[in-house]
Amino acid sequence: MTGPEPTDLPCAELVELVTDYLDGALPADWRARIDAHLATCAGCRAVVAQWEAVIRLGGRVAHDDLEALEPDVRDALTAAFRSRAQPQAGPSSGWGSTSSNQ
């Protein structure tokens, strides 16, 4: 990456790359930015914890388990999976260029 980087990371942008973060697929500087954001943002820590649970339980989830999820959690996970199927911008394409959190 070139140019100065913002000091904080908008929540919506962190959420876009949470699986890359958990997979260890991000460059060290971006991982450090996410770690810094997580240190101050309980909402994003909750998102990461949910994804960690999804990854841990991935092979063991039954249809009834999905139905038992709260509707907003189920909808958020469904939207995230659908967005992963579409091409995404990565860190080198200006990710982090906005300056306000959600």
Side-chain angles (χ1 to χ4, degrees):
M1 276 186 243
T2 61
E5 295 180 3
T7 57
D8 193 16
L9 190 62
C11 297
E13 292 179 4
L14 182 144
V15 170
E16 287 293 318
L17 293 177
V18 70
T19 56
D20 291 336
Y21 171 78
L22 292 173
D23 288 343
L26 294 176
D29 57 335
W30 284 94
R31 188 167 185 76
R33 289 183 66 205
I34 290 173
D35 289 338
H37 181 89
L38 291 173
T40 63
C41 184
C44 286
R45 284 194 305 272
V47 168
V48 170
Q50 288 173 348
W51 274 106
E52 288 172 329
V54 167
I55 291 166
R56 186 177 62 253
L57 298 172
R60 302 180 305 186
V61 176
H63 181 73
D64 290 341
D65 296 326
L66 296 175
E67 292 299 320
L69 289 173
E70 293 183 29
D72 60 327
V73 173
R74 186 176 51 246
D75 292 346
L77 289 172
T78 300
F81 283 118
R82 286 182 181 151
S83 73
R84 294 292 294 171
Q86 299 172 0
Q88 290 187 9
S92 63
S93 64
W95 185 77
S97 61
T98 59
S99 61
S100 62
N101 286 356
Q102 283 187 344

